[in-house]
Amino acid sequence: MPSRRAVLAAALCLMPAVSRAGKPAAPNGGFQAFVAALRPDAEARGVSPETFSAAFRDITGPDAGVLARTKQQSEFVRPVWDYLVGAVSAGRITRGRARAAALAQTLKAIENRYGVPAAIILAFWGIESDFGASAGSLSTIRALATLADAKHRGTLFRDELLSALTILQRGDITPGQMSGSWAGAMGQVQFLPSTYLAHAVDFDGDGRRDIWTSDADSLASIAAYLKDLGWDPTLSWGYEVRLPEGFDLADYTGDLSGFAARGVRRADGKALPGYGKASLFLPGGLGAPTFLITDNFEVIRGYNTSDSYALAVGHLADRLDGGPILAAPWPTGPRLDGAGLRALQTGLAAAGVYDGPTDGRAGPKLREAVRRYQIGAGLPADGYATPALLARVQDRRGSSR
């Protein structure tokens, strides 16, 4: 899922910077004009002139490195199995289990209060910041100002910048300590400022919601956010399963008990629960790891919308809890890159089965469209986008002209 730092002091915040020789410093008029235009909106939200000036005091201009990072996010452009290699590594599992032992009492108290399993909380913490060790060191204010000034994703980052200034006004953190990753996600839990304002908690009782240095506040904030997103404490996120011979993939949603009655079995040999709804998820197609995912998988996606990310959180949680490695192998054949996925989205839209964005990202909308196309074409409906499927879709488009 993403991080940010103007040479102006107090009353001079909106004026051109001046060098020690008394001459104007190298101007960055566009950026400074953006900062100046932001001040009235910040003050309308209760941000004082002093807080605003302090926030931008050491920021001379945008961060070119942040803009370069907007081109790519690994969890969206790498295949699931490549992403899992880093996200669920042996080293991370070892570190996570050690942190679980050290923080057992705190984790138990958090689980009791919010109903989110300790292993799930730890998995988010591990993937977001390697259990607090890699929380990001970029200035949140500079990163957000860079993205907002560039109008990256419309007004999203301008709104997040205003939320960050609100956090500073409330006194939870200082501008120098407010750091994170390139897209403005902050601290050990990588919350965007608006998420922080809505969901961060002060679990250690020191009067500050500190997701930068407090393990307790960080872990509890993850749990509180998941509870607010709708986490169901009676369900797992999902299970790796084995399908019986001749299983009808077109019938891919239903009750867990119904899947069990149709011969679906957990890969670890344990019984499926007798309650709860689920759907099949085949991120590598037939023959690769196959999962039954519950509504809690979608809750995980509420934190980060990537399928790869959600699967990594779920699998890492299982491994931290003593679960096995995935039983089935991942595919080794050719796969679609971002351009191929965009072409497939375009083709499926022309076929009338896809109405999502043409963004080159695999996700639930594309998966559902692939399934609909496969069912209509009499193909195994695994929802997996392949080069062969793209060729078929493009060939049908060409033959229909």
Side-chain angles (χ1 to χ4, degrees):
M1 255 205 82
S3 297
R4 331 13 200 164
R5 291 177 189 186
V7 128
L8 308 168
L12 298 179
C13 184
L14 302 182
M15 298 174 62
V18 176
S19 71
R20 289 186 180 180
K23 297 179 181 180
N28 192 329
F31 184 80
Q32 297 303 337
F34 163 79
V35 173
L38 187 72
R39 182 187 283 267
D41 287 345
E43 293 183 354
R45 292 196 182 195
V47 177
S48 70
E50 293 77 16
T51 297
F52 189 95
S53 295
F56 287 98
R57 181 170 294 132
D58 297 322
I59 301 177
T60 57
D63 186 330
V66 167
L67 291 175
R69 292 292 300 275
T70 63
K71 308 300 181 195
Q72 193 174 79
Q73 280 179 264
S74 62
E75 64 265 39
F76 290 106
V77 299
R78 290 159 60 191
V80 171
W81 46 97
D82 282 356
Y83 183 76
L84 288 180
V85 167
V88 193
S89 65
R92 180 164 287 170
I93 293 166
T94 298
R95 292 191 297 276
R97 289 174 178 169
R99 297 298 278 150
L103 294 165
Q105 188 173 356
T106 298
L107 285 164
K108 185 63 176 176
I110 293 170
E111 183 174 340
N112 288 341
R113 180 177 297 184
Y114 297 105
V116 180
I120 288 288
I121 300 168
L122 281 166
F124 275 97
W125 195 32
I127 290 175
E128 291 296 349
S129 66
D130 200 18
F131 311 104
S134 301
S137 59
L138 295 179
S139 161
T140 297
I141 296 298
R142 187 182 184 195
L144 290 173
T146 296
L147 295 167
D149 179 43
K151 295 182 173 58
H152 180 62
R153 297 183 64 182
T155 63
L156 170 66
F157 289 104
R158 189 178 193 277
D159 293 338
E160 292 296 340
L161 179 55
L162 290 167
S163 292
L165 294 168
T166 301
I167 294 169
L168 294 177
Q169 182 64 38
R170 294 185 178 189
D172 280 312
I173 195 73
T174 67
Q177 295 169 322
M178 181 183 266
S179 61
S181 56
W182 68 269
M186 307 183 301
Q188 298 184 30
V189 300
Q190 294 292 279
F191 280 1
L192 284 171
S194 61
T195 302
Y196 173 97
L197 289 172
H199 305 287
V201 297
D202 171 23
F203 196 78
D204 60 17
D206 68 353
R208 297 168 55 242
R209 297 180 294 171
D210 181 6
I211 61 171
W212 292 270
T213 65
S214 168
D215 292 347
D217 286 3
S218 296
L219 294 167
S221 293
I222 292 170
Y225 187 27
L226 294 175
K227 180 181 179 181
D228 292 344
L229 287 171
W231 185 270
D232 184 343
T234 70
L235 294 176
S236 169
W237 68 271
Y239 309 92
E240 187 187 5
V241 296
R242 301 184 191 276
L243 303 179
E245 191 74 27
F247 186 85
D248 182 10
L249 289 169
D251 188 6
Y252 57 87
T253 62
D255 294 330
L256 286 166
S257 60
F259 280 109
R262 295 168 61 196
V264 178
R265 298 291 181 263
R266 284 177 58 169
D268 61 9
K270 298 179 181 179
L272 284 169
Y275 62 89
K277 295 188 179 302
S279 62
L280 281 173
F281 177 39
L282 294 86
L286 280 171
T290 299
F291 304 90
L292 279 174
I293 54 174
T294 73
D295 287 344
N296 281 341
F297 188 85
E298 287 305 307
V299 171
I300 297 173
R301 290 185 74 254
Y303 204 116
N304 180 313
T305 59
S306 160
D307 283 344
S308 296
Y309 177 93
L311 184 58
V313 167
H315 184 47
L316 178 57
D318 289 349
R319 297 299 311 282
L320 292 172
D321 225 11
I325 63 173
L326 297 176
W330 290 106
T332 57
R335 65 179 183 84
L336 292 178
D337 59 10
L341 289 172
R342 282 192 295 274
L344 181 60
Q345 289 166 334
T346 299
L348 293 175
V353 295
Y354 180 72
D355 63 356
T358 307
D359 56 7
R361 294 180 176 182
K365 274 187 172 289
L366 180 58
R367 191 162 65 243
E368 179 66 20
V370 169
R371 277 184 170 133
R372 289 172 62 191
Y373 181 89
Q374 289 169 328
I375 292 170
L379 301 171
D382 60 8
Y384 182 49
T386 64
L389 182 71
L390 173 60
R392 181 186 178 101
V393 170
Q394 291 181 325
D395 181 62
R396 289 297 176 91
R397 287 179 64 201
S399 63
S400 66
R401 289 173 186 152

